[in-house]
Amino acid sequence: MGTFEVIAKHGEHEEIVFCNDPNVGLKAIIAIHNSALGPALGGTRMWNYKNEDEALVDVLRLSKGMTYKASAAGLNLGGGKAVIIGDSKTQKTEGLFRAFGQFINSLNGKYITAEDVGTGVKDMEYIYMETPWVTGIPQGFGGSGDPSPYTAHGVYMGIKASAKEKLGTDSLKGVRIAVQGLGNVGSNLVRYLSEEGAKITVTDLDEARVKTHRDMYKVETTSTDQILFTECDILAPCAMGAIINDQTITKLKCQVVCGGANNQLAEARHGDQLRELGILYAPDYVVNAGGLMNVFVELEGYSHERAFDKTRKVYDNVEKVFEIAKRDNVGTHTAADRMAEERIATIGRLKQRHPGKSSNRSFTTLREVNNR
Ligand code: NAD
């Protein structure tokens, strides 16, 4: 398949930039999927792709996902993503990231980058030497730092909204919640759930993490093989994707699936199947948007309080998804997509008529972009 056919197959992207600088070994692709709501924001992934086609498909897919995530989160951001082809363990250099930063700068704010798999704060610092269009820079430069606590707080809000819908109350006292994965997101989530008196069961591949949580929060533990099939009210996947699949779905013993992991459904049809089974699914990209909200606040001029406050909105967003699912008689995963698409259509049209300012505050560069 030719490059243009691949691009057409994966959505209507606005702009795709191939970045090539042999002097520093840079081969990267930036994809801007949709900027109807604002500048396209999404991280830079550094990965040893088998070939360039694989990198292109990945960046097209991921950038489209960011459009939906930002829209559903109610942010004035579009969807974009970048991939650097290379081994993040051996091929990172200052020159590579600074050259990449120059490509980002040439887009003049249409694309804003951040960390992703294979990139970190240090890399963002190099990019920042060449362009202001980067988030996830060190806190000393006004950056927002680790997004995980904000993601976790959003997940906690999503769990409360889901409990309200399925169990009739958003109090989690005595509610049985199984958490898969005790990493950055899962461990912060367990803290919130425990403070509210939920009955928590946890697991992790890392035994030491399990022990720490057992000691700190008096949670129950189970094996990594059994967590998905634990009898509980709410299952909170906070480890890897595709855990709702043909092998697991009929063995679930929960009433709700709501967690922080990305891409929890192996395929969209598993969302329909959850609905048939009477299990309420809170769509992952709506639930785990707290980290993106945090980064958005960085663009506005960072404040921990405002970022934290913003993540409360996940509650309303999840409620709205459930309303649309009922309104249209569809699965919640379809409802989330509709919610995102409806906002892009409505607000995008408004912005065509009058660009508006999209943001109230003083970060002139974001405002400049939104006013363009
Ligand atoms: P992390 O790497 O810090 O933690 C993941 C944890 O899951 C690790 O402790 C790991 O040992 C454990 N794990 C892996 N496989 C497991 C298995 N089969 N059974 C049990 N435990 C297992 O990652 P994180 O930052 O906490 O992110 C967790 C998930 O949330 C990922 O899917 C990530 O993409 C998603 N997410 C994270 C953020 C964020 O702000 N960190 C934002 C959005 C989405």
PDB file of all heavy atoms in Angstrom, residues 268 271-276 279-281 283 320-339 342:
ATOM      1  N   ALA A 268     -13.488  -3.121  19.591  1.00  0.00           N
ATOM      2  CA  ALA A 268     -14.697  -2.353  19.934  1.00  0.00           C
ATOM      3  C   ALA A 268     -15.876  -3.277  20.251  1.00  0.00           C
ATOM      4  O   ALA A 268     -16.700  -2.979  21.123  1.00  0.00           O
ATOM      5  CB  ALA A 268     -15.045  -1.414  18.789  1.00  0.00           C
ATOM      6  N   GLY A 271     -16.836  -3.937  23.758  1.00  0.00           N
ATOM      7  CA  GLY A 271     -17.650  -2.926  24.444  1.00  0.00           C
ATOM      8  C   GLY A 271     -19.126  -3.291  24.341  1.00  0.00           C
ATOM      9  O   GLY A 271     -19.877  -3.195  25.321  1.00  0.00           O
ATOM     10  N   ASP A 272     -19.538  -3.733  23.156  1.00  0.00           N
ATOM     11  CA  ASP A 272     -20.940  -4.161  22.971  1.00  0.00           C
ATOM     12  C   ASP A 272     -21.228  -5.387  23.831  1.00  0.00           C
ATOM     13  O   ASP A 272     -22.298  -5.521  24.424  1.00  0.00           O
ATOM     14  CB  ASP A 272     -21.204  -4.490  21.498  1.00  0.00           C
ATOM     15  CG  ASP A 272     -21.058  -3.256  20.623  1.00  0.00           C
ATOM     16  OD1 ASP A 272     -21.457  -2.168  21.081  1.00  0.00           O
ATOM     17  OD2 ASP A 272     -20.517  -3.372  19.508  1.00  0.00           O
ATOM     18  N   GLN A 273     -20.245  -6.273  23.889  1.00  0.00           N
ATOM     19  CA  GLN A 273     -20.455  -7.508  24.664  1.00  0.00           C
ATOM     20  C   GLN A 273     -20.580  -7.215  26.158  1.00  0.00           C
ATOM     21  O   GLN A 273     -21.394  -7.834  26.856  1.00  0.00           O
ATOM     22  CB  GLN A 273     -19.302  -8.480  24.393  1.00  0.00           C
ATOM     23  CG  GLN A 273     -19.696  -9.929  24.607  1.00  0.00           C
ATOM     24  CD  GLN A 273     -18.547 -10.879  24.310  1.00  0.00           C
ATOM     25  OE1 GLN A 273     -17.621 -10.563  23.550  1.00  0.00           O
ATOM     26  NE2 GLN A 273     -18.591 -12.062  24.923  1.00  0.00           N
ATOM     27  N   LEU A 274     -19.796  -6.257  26.644  1.00  0.00           N
ATOM     28  CA  LEU A 274     -19.919  -5.876  28.067  1.00  0.00           C
ATOM     29  C   LEU A 274     -21.336  -5.388  28.350  1.00  0.00           C
ATOM     30  O   LEU A 274     -21.947  -5.734  29.359  1.00  0.00           O
ATOM     31  CB  LEU A 274     -18.921  -4.761  28.412  1.00  0.00           C
ATOM     32  CG  LEU A 274     -17.466  -5.149  28.641  1.00  0.00           C
ATOM     33  CD1 LEU A 274     -16.619  -3.906  28.908  1.00  0.00           C
ATOM     34  CD2 LEU A 274     -17.303  -6.144  29.795  1.00  0.00           C
ATOM     35  N   ARG A 275     -21.856  -4.600  27.408  1.00  0.00           N
ATOM     36  CA  ARG A 275     -23.213  -4.069  27.562  1.00  0.00           C
ATOM     37  C   ARG A 275     -24.214  -5.224  27.624  1.00  0.00           C
ATOM     38  O   ARG A 275     -25.109  -5.243  28.476  1.00  0.00           O
ATOM     39  CB  ARG A 275     -23.503  -3.161  26.367  1.00  0.00           C
ATOM     40  CG  ARG A 275     -24.841  -2.492  26.427  1.00  0.00           C
ATOM     41  CD  ARG A 275     -24.894  -1.437  25.328  1.00  0.00           C
ATOM     42  NE  ARG A 275     -26.200  -0.814  25.312  1.00  0.00           N
ATOM     43  CZ  ARG A 275     -27.005  -0.815  24.275  1.00  0.00           C
ATOM     44  NH1 ARG A 275     -26.655  -1.412  23.157  1.00  0.00           N
ATOM     45  NH2 ARG A 275     -28.181  -0.215  24.351  1.00  0.00           N
ATOM     46  N   GLU A 276     -24.066  -6.204  26.729  1.00  0.00           N
ATOM     47  CA  GLU A 276     -24.977  -7.362  26.729  1.00  0.00           C
ATOM     48  C   GLU A 276     -24.890  -8.130  28.040  1.00  0.00           C
ATOM     49  O   GLU A 276     -25.872  -8.674  28.534  1.00  0.00           O
ATOM     50  CB  GLU A 276     -24.633  -8.309  25.570  1.00  0.00           C
ATOM     51  CG  GLU A 276     -25.118  -7.800  24.218  1.00  0.00           C
ATOM     52  CD  GLU A 276     -24.311  -8.391  23.054  1.00  0.00           C
ATOM     53  OE1 GLU A 276     -23.679  -9.460  23.249  1.00  0.00           O
ATOM     54  OE2 GLU A 276     -24.292  -7.760  21.973  1.00  0.00           O
ATOM     55  N   ILE A 279     -22.587  -5.365  32.178  1.00  0.00           N
ATOM     56  CA  ILE A 279     -21.453  -4.736  32.886  1.00  0.00           C
ATOM     57  C   ILE A 279     -21.269  -3.323  32.335  1.00  0.00           C
ATOM     58  O   ILE A 279     -21.172  -3.132  31.116  1.00  0.00           O
ATOM     59  CB  ILE A 279     -20.154  -5.560  32.689  1.00  0.00           C
ATOM     60  CG1 ILE A 279     -20.335  -6.961  33.281  1.00  0.00           C
ATOM     61  CG2 ILE A 279     -18.956  -4.846  33.308  1.00  0.00           C
ATOM     62  CD1 ILE A 279     -19.178  -7.913  33.014  1.00  0.00           C
ATOM     63  N   LEU A 280     -21.247  -2.356  33.227  1.00  0.00           N
ATOM     64  CA  LEU A 280     -21.099  -0.957  32.809  1.00  0.00           C
ATOM     65  C   LEU A 280     -19.630  -0.654  32.553  1.00  0.00           C
ATOM     66  O   LEU A 280     -18.792  -0.840  33.443  1.00  0.00           O
ATOM     67  CB  LEU A 280     -21.630  -0.031  33.909  1.00  0.00           C
ATOM     68  CG  LEU A 280     -21.564   1.463  33.612  1.00  0.00           C
ATOM     69  CD1 LEU A 280     -22.504   1.856  32.483  1.00  0.00           C
ATOM     70  CD2 LEU A 280     -21.895   2.266  34.878  1.00  0.00           C
ATOM     71  N   TYR A 281     -19.332  -0.187  31.353  1.00  0.00           N
ATOM     72  CA  TYR A 281     -17.954   0.151  31.010  1.00  0.00           C
ATOM     73  C   TYR A 281     -17.800   1.666  30.944  1.00  0.00           C
ATOM     74  O   TYR A 281     -18.497   2.335  30.184  1.00  0.00           O
ATOM     75  CB  TYR A 281     -17.578  -0.484  29.660  1.00  0.00           C
ATOM     76  CG  TYR A 281     -16.240  -0.033  29.127  1.00  0.00           C
ATOM     77  CD1 TYR A 281     -15.070  -0.269  29.857  1.00  0.00           C
ATOM     78  CD2 TYR A 281     -16.132   0.628  27.908  1.00  0.00           C
ATOM     79  CE1 TYR A 281     -13.837   0.152  29.379  1.00  0.00           C
ATOM     80  CE2 TYR A 281     -14.904   1.051  27.420  1.00  0.00           C
ATOM     81  CZ  TYR A 281     -13.759   0.805  28.160  1.00  0.00           C
ATOM     82  OH  TYR A 281     -12.544   1.227  27.700  1.00  0.00           O
ATOM     83  N   PRO A 283     -15.575   4.363  29.558  1.00  0.00           N
ATOM     84  CA  PRO A 283     -14.532   4.347  28.521  1.00  0.00           C
ATOM     85  C   PRO A 283     -13.191   4.902  29.001  1.00  0.00           C
ATOM     86  O   PRO A 283     -13.125   5.980  29.599  1.00  0.00           O
ATOM     87  CB  PRO A 283     -15.129   5.206  27.406  1.00  0.00           C
ATOM     88  CG  PRO A 283     -16.600   5.098  27.605  1.00  0.00           C
ATOM     89  CD  PRO A 283     -16.802   5.044  29.091  1.00  0.00           C
ATOM     90  N   LYS A 320     -21.890  12.120  31.446  1.00  0.00           N
ATOM     91  CA  LYS A 320     -22.438  12.518  30.142  1.00  0.00           C
ATOM     92  C   LYS A 320     -22.361  11.353  29.141  1.00  0.00           C
ATOM     93  O   LYS A 320     -23.279  11.150  28.343  1.00  0.00           O
ATOM     94  CB  LYS A 320     -21.659  13.732  29.623  1.00  0.00           C
ATOM     95  CG  LYS A 320     -22.342  14.378  28.474  1.00  0.00           C
ATOM     96  CD  LYS A 320     -21.904  15.817  28.265  1.00  0.00           C
ATOM     97  CE  LYS A 320     -22.532  16.318  26.965  1.00  0.00           C
ATOM     98  NZ  LYS A 320     -21.651  17.161  26.186  1.00  0.00           N
ATOM     99  N   VAL A 321     -21.285  10.594  29.209  1.00  0.00           N
ATOM    100  CA  VAL A 321     -21.168   9.414  28.331  1.00  0.00           C
ATOM    101  C   VAL A 321     -22.323   8.450  28.605  1.00  0.00           C
ATOM    102  O   VAL A 321     -22.957   7.932  27.675  1.00  0.00           O
ATOM    103  CB  VAL A 321     -19.814   8.702  28.556  1.00  0.00           C
ATOM    104  CG1 VAL A 321     -19.797   7.330  27.887  1.00  0.00           C
ATOM    105  CG2 VAL A 321     -18.665   9.546  28.055  1.00  0.00           C
ATOM    106  N   PHE A 322     -22.620   8.235  29.875  1.00  0.00           N
ATOM    107  CA  PHE A 322     -23.709   7.309  30.215  1.00  0.00           C
ATOM    108  C   PHE A 322     -25.053   7.840  29.688  1.00  0.00           C
ATOM    109  O   PHE A 322     -25.885   7.079  29.203  1.00  0.00           O
ATOM    110  CB  PHE A 322     -23.787   7.096  31.736  1.00  0.00           C
ATOM    111  CG  PHE A 322     -22.568   6.412  32.316  1.00  0.00           C
ATOM    112  CD1 PHE A 322     -22.198   6.610  33.656  1.00  0.00           C
ATOM    113  CD2 PHE A 322     -21.779   5.570  31.545  1.00  0.00           C
ATOM    114  CE1 PHE A 322     -21.085   5.977  34.193  1.00  0.00           C
ATOM    115  CE2 PHE A 322     -20.652   4.933  32.074  1.00  0.00           C
ATOM    116  CZ  PHE A 322     -20.308   5.148  33.407  1.00  0.00           C
ATOM    117  N   GLU A 323     -25.228   9.150  29.774  1.00  0.00           N
ATOM    118  CA  GLU A 323     -26.478   9.763  29.251  1.00  0.00           C
ATOM    119  C   GLU A 323     -26.602   9.537  27.750  1.00  0.00           C
ATOM    120  O   GLU A 323     -27.668   9.169  27.260  1.00  0.00           O
ATOM    121  CB  GLU A 323     -26.448  11.282  29.479  1.00  0.00           C
ATOM    122  CG  GLU A 323     -27.012  11.732  30.801  1.00  0.00           C
ATOM    123  CD  GLU A 323     -26.662  13.202  31.045  1.00  0.00           C
ATOM    124  OE1 GLU A 323     -26.620  13.987  30.082  1.00  0.00           O
ATOM    125  OE2 GLU A 323     -26.383  13.528  32.222  1.00  0.00           O
ATOM    126  N   ILE A 324     -25.500   9.774  27.030  1.00  0.00           N
ATOM    127  CA  ILE A 324     -25.546   9.616  25.567  1.00  0.00           C
ATOM    128  C   ILE A 324     -25.802   8.144  25.206  1.00  0.00           C
ATOM    129  O   ILE A 324     -26.549   7.837  24.276  1.00  0.00           O
ATOM    130  CB  ILE A 324     -24.233  10.135  24.918  1.00  0.00           C
ATOM    131  CG1 ILE A 324     -24.150  11.647  25.112  1.00  0.00           C
ATOM    132  CG2 ILE A 324     -24.157   9.770  23.436  1.00  0.00           C
ATOM    133  CD1 ILE A 324     -22.831  12.277  24.686  1.00  0.00           C
ATOM    134  N   ALA A 325     -25.199   7.241  25.966  1.00  0.00           N
ATOM    135  CA  ALA A 325     -25.407   5.806  25.711  1.00  0.00           C
ATOM    136  C   ALA A 325     -26.891   5.458  25.832  1.00  0.00           C
ATOM    137  O   ALA A 325     -27.434   4.694  25.037  1.00  0.00           O
ATOM    138  CB  ALA A 325     -24.571   4.979  26.688  1.00  0.00           C
ATOM    139  N   LYS A 326     -27.534   6.056  26.830  1.00  0.00           N
ATOM    140  CA  LYS A 326     -28.980   5.792  27.011  1.00  0.00           C
ATOM    141  C   LYS A 326     -29.785   6.491  25.911  1.00  0.00           C
ATOM    142  O   LYS A 326     -30.686   5.908  25.333  1.00  0.00           O
ATOM    143  CB  LYS A 326     -29.423   6.277  28.408  1.00  0.00           C
ATOM    144  CG  LYS A 326     -29.026   5.280  29.501  1.00  0.00           C
ATOM    145  CD  LYS A 326     -29.555   5.699  30.843  1.00  0.00           C
ATOM    146  CE  LYS A 326     -28.464   6.381  31.622  1.00  0.00           C
ATOM    147  NZ  LYS A 326     -28.791   6.797  32.955  1.00  0.00           N
ATOM    148  N   ARG A 327     -29.405   7.736  25.641  1.00  0.00           N
ATOM    149  CA  ARG A 327     -30.123   8.515  24.614  1.00  0.00           C
ATOM    150  C   ARG A 327     -30.123   7.788  23.269  1.00  0.00           C
ATOM    151  O   ARG A 327     -31.139   7.675  22.602  1.00  0.00           O
ATOM    152  CB  ARG A 327     -29.433   9.884  24.459  1.00  0.00           C
ATOM    153  CG  ARG A 327     -30.046  10.796  23.403  1.00  0.00           C
ATOM    154  CD  ARG A 327     -29.105  11.951  23.079  1.00  0.00           C
ATOM    155  NE  ARG A 327     -28.010  11.530  22.216  1.00  0.00           N
ATOM    156  CZ  ARG A 327     -26.968  12.303  21.885  1.00  0.00           C
ATOM    157  NH1 ARG A 327     -26.871  13.520  22.359  1.00  0.00           N
ATOM    158  NH2 ARG A 327     -26.020  11.857  21.091  1.00  0.00           N
ATOM    159  N   ASP A 328     -28.950   7.264  22.888  1.00  0.00           N
ATOM    160  CA  ASP A 328     -28.800   6.670  21.551  1.00  0.00           C
ATOM    161  C   ASP A 328     -28.918   5.147  21.559  1.00  0.00           C
ATOM    162  O   ASP A 328     -28.772   4.514  20.517  1.00  0.00           O
ATOM    163  CB  ASP A 328     -27.432   7.059  20.966  1.00  0.00           C
ATOM    164  CG  ASP A 328     -27.322   8.551  20.710  1.00  0.00           C
ATOM    165  OD1 ASP A 328     -28.326   9.265  20.931  1.00  0.00           O
ATOM    166  OD2 ASP A 328     -26.230   8.998  20.293  1.00  0.00           O
ATOM    167  N   ASN A 329     -29.131   4.586  22.766  1.00  0.00           N
ATOM    168  CA  ASN A 329     -29.223   3.137  22.896  1.00  0.00           C
ATOM    169  C   ASN A 329     -28.004   2.427  22.293  1.00  0.00           C
ATOM    170  O   ASN A 329     -28.121   1.551  21.429  1.00  0.00           O
ATOM    171  CB  ASN A 329     -30.535   2.656  22.234  1.00  0.00           C
ATOM    172  CG  ASN A 329     -30.873   1.242  22.666  1.00  0.00           C
ATOM    173  OD1 ASN A 329     -30.407   0.770  23.708  1.00  0.00           O
ATOM    174  ND2 ASN A 329     -31.661   0.546  21.856  1.00  0.00           N
ATOM    175  N   VAL A 330     -26.833   2.870  22.706  1.00  0.00           N
ATOM    176  CA  VAL A 330     -25.573   2.272  22.220  1.00  0.00           C
ATOM    177  C   VAL A 330     -24.667   1.961  23.416  1.00  0.00           C
ATOM    178  O   VAL A 330     -24.938   2.403  24.546  1.00  0.00           O
ATOM    179  CB  VAL A 330     -24.810   3.246  21.280  1.00  0.00           C
ATOM    180  CG1 VAL A 330     -25.580   3.463  19.995  1.00  0.00           C
ATOM    181  CG2 VAL A 330     -24.511   4.578  21.978  1.00  0.00           C
ATOM    182  N   GLY A 331     -23.593   1.252  23.151  1.00  0.00           N
ATOM    183  CA  GLY A 331     -22.603   0.971  24.198  1.00  0.00           C
ATOM    184  C   GLY A 331     -21.888   2.253  24.600  1.00  0.00           C
ATOM    185  O   GLY A 331     -21.830   3.224  23.822  1.00  0.00           O
ATOM    186  N   THR A 332     -21.331   2.247  25.799  1.00  0.00           N
ATOM    187  CA  THR A 332     -20.690   3.463  26.302  1.00  0.00           C
ATOM    188  C   THR A 332     -19.431   3.827  25.500  1.00  0.00           C
ATOM    189  O   THR A 332     -19.081   5.005  25.405  1.00  0.00           O
ATOM    190  CB  THR A 332     -20.302   3.278  27.787  1.00  0.00           C
ATOM    191  OG1 THR A 332     -19.593   2.045  27.906  1.00  0.00           O
ATOM    192  CG2 THR A 332     -21.531   3.256  28.678  1.00  0.00           C
ATOM    193  N   HIS A 333     -18.760   2.820  24.921  1.00  0.00           N
ATOM    194  CA  HIS A 333     -17.563   3.128  24.115  1.00  0.00           C
ATOM    195  C   HIS A 333     -17.972   3.908  22.857  1.00  0.00           C
ATOM    196  O   HIS A 333     -17.294   4.839  22.444  1.00  0.00           O
ATOM    197  CB  HIS A 333     -16.804   1.846  23.750  1.00  0.00           C
ATOM    198  CG  HIS A 333     -17.603   0.878  22.944  1.00  0.00           C
ATOM    199  ND1 HIS A 333     -18.793   0.349  23.380  1.00  0.00           N
ATOM    200  CD2 HIS A 333     -17.397   0.357  21.706  1.00  0.00           C
ATOM    201  CE1 HIS A 333     -19.282  -0.465  22.453  1.00  0.00           C
ATOM    202  NE2 HIS A 333     -18.453  -0.470  21.433  1.00  0.00           N
ATOM    203  N   THR A 334     -19.112   3.565  22.281  1.00  0.00           N
ATOM    204  CA  THR A 334     -19.625   4.301  21.116  1.00  0.00           C
ATOM    205  C   THR A 334     -20.096   5.685  21.558  1.00  0.00           C
ATOM    206  O   THR A 334     -19.865   6.692  20.872  1.00  0.00           O
ATOM    207  CB  THR A 334     -20.816   3.539  20.492  1.00  0.00           C
ATOM    208  OG1 THR A 334     -20.381   2.206  20.241  1.00  0.00           O
ATOM    209  CG2 THR A 334     -21.305   4.182  19.218  1.00  0.00           C
ATOM    210  N   ALA A 335     -20.734   5.744  22.724  1.00  0.00           N
ATOM    211  CA  ALA A 335     -21.241   7.022  23.241  1.00  0.00           C
ATOM    212  C   ALA A 335     -20.089   8.009  23.467  1.00  0.00           C
ATOM    213  O   ALA A 335     -20.225   9.209  23.202  1.00  0.00           O
ATOM    214  CB  ALA A 335     -22.004   6.793  24.540  1.00  0.00           C
ATOM    215  N   ALA A 336     -18.957   7.514  23.956  1.00  0.00           N
ATOM    216  CA  ALA A 336     -17.801   8.397  24.204  1.00  0.00           C
ATOM    217  C   ALA A 336     -17.323   9.008  22.889  1.00  0.00           C
ATOM    218  O   ALA A 336     -17.050  10.209  22.814  1.00  0.00           O
ATOM    219  CB  ALA A 336     -16.671   7.616  24.867  1.00  0.00           C
ATOM    220  N   ASP A 337     -17.242   8.177  21.856  1.00  0.00           N
ATOM    221  CA  ASP A 337     -16.815   8.694  20.548  1.00  0.00           C
ATOM    222  C   ASP A 337     -17.796   9.756  20.055  1.00  0.00           C
ATOM    223  O   ASP A 337     -17.403  10.785  19.523  1.00  0.00           O
ATOM    224  CB  ASP A 337     -16.734   7.569  19.509  1.00  0.00           C
ATOM    225  CG  ASP A 337     -15.536   6.653  19.747  1.00  0.00           C
ATOM    226  OD1 ASP A 337     -14.743   6.937  20.672  1.00  0.00           O
ATOM    227  OD2 ASP A 337     -15.387   5.648  19.020  1.00  0.00           O
ATOM    228  N   ARG A 338     -19.093   9.490  20.262  1.00  0.00           N
ATOM    229  CA  ARG A 338     -20.102  10.466  19.802  1.00  0.00           C
ATOM    230  C   ARG A 338     -19.976  11.775  20.567  1.00  0.00           C
ATOM    231  O   ARG A 338     -20.087  12.855  19.992  1.00  0.00           O
ATOM    232  CB  ARG A 338     -21.511   9.899  19.989  1.00  0.00           C
ATOM    233  CG  ARG A 338     -21.771   8.819  18.971  1.00  0.00           C
ATOM    234  CD  ARG A 338     -23.224   8.424  18.903  1.00  0.00           C
ATOM    235  NE  ARG A 338     -23.324   7.287  18.008  1.00  0.00           N
ATOM    236  CZ  ARG A 338     -24.403   6.563  17.802  1.00  0.00           C
ATOM    237  NH1 ARG A 338     -25.517   6.863  18.433  1.00  0.00           N
ATOM    238  NH2 ARG A 338     -24.388   5.548  16.967  1.00  0.00           N
ATOM    239  N   MET A 339     -19.734  11.661  21.875  1.00  0.00           N
ATOM    240  CA  MET A 339     -19.586  12.873  22.684  1.00  0.00           C
ATOM    241  C   MET A 339     -18.420  13.717  22.141  1.00  0.00           C
ATOM    242  O   MET A 339     -18.545  14.937  21.981  1.00  0.00           O
ATOM    243  CB  MET A 339     -19.340  12.499  24.151  1.00  0.00           C
ATOM    244  CG  MET A 339     -19.177  13.689  25.060  1.00  0.00           C
ATOM    245  SD  MET A 339     -19.179  13.226  26.802  1.00  0.00           S
ATOM    246  CE  MET A 339     -17.453  12.846  27.049  1.00  0.00           C
ATOM    247  N   GLU A 342     -19.342  15.159  18.655  1.00  0.00           N
ATOM    248  CA  GLU A 342     -20.341  16.236  18.727  1.00  0.00           C
ATOM    249  C   GLU A 342     -19.691  17.538  19.159  1.00  0.00           C
ATOM    250  O   GLU A 342     -19.990  18.604  18.640  1.00  0.00           O
ATOM    251  CB  GLU A 342     -21.464  15.859  19.716  1.00  0.00           C
ATOM    252  CG  GLU A 342     -22.449  14.859  19.109  1.00  0.00           C
ATOM    253  CD  GLU A 342     -23.422  14.271  20.134  1.00  0.00           C
ATOM    254  OE1 GLU A 342     -23.531  14.827  21.251  1.00  0.00           O
ATOM    255  OE2 GLU A 342     -24.051  13.257  19.815  1.00  0.00           O
TER     256      GLU A 342
END
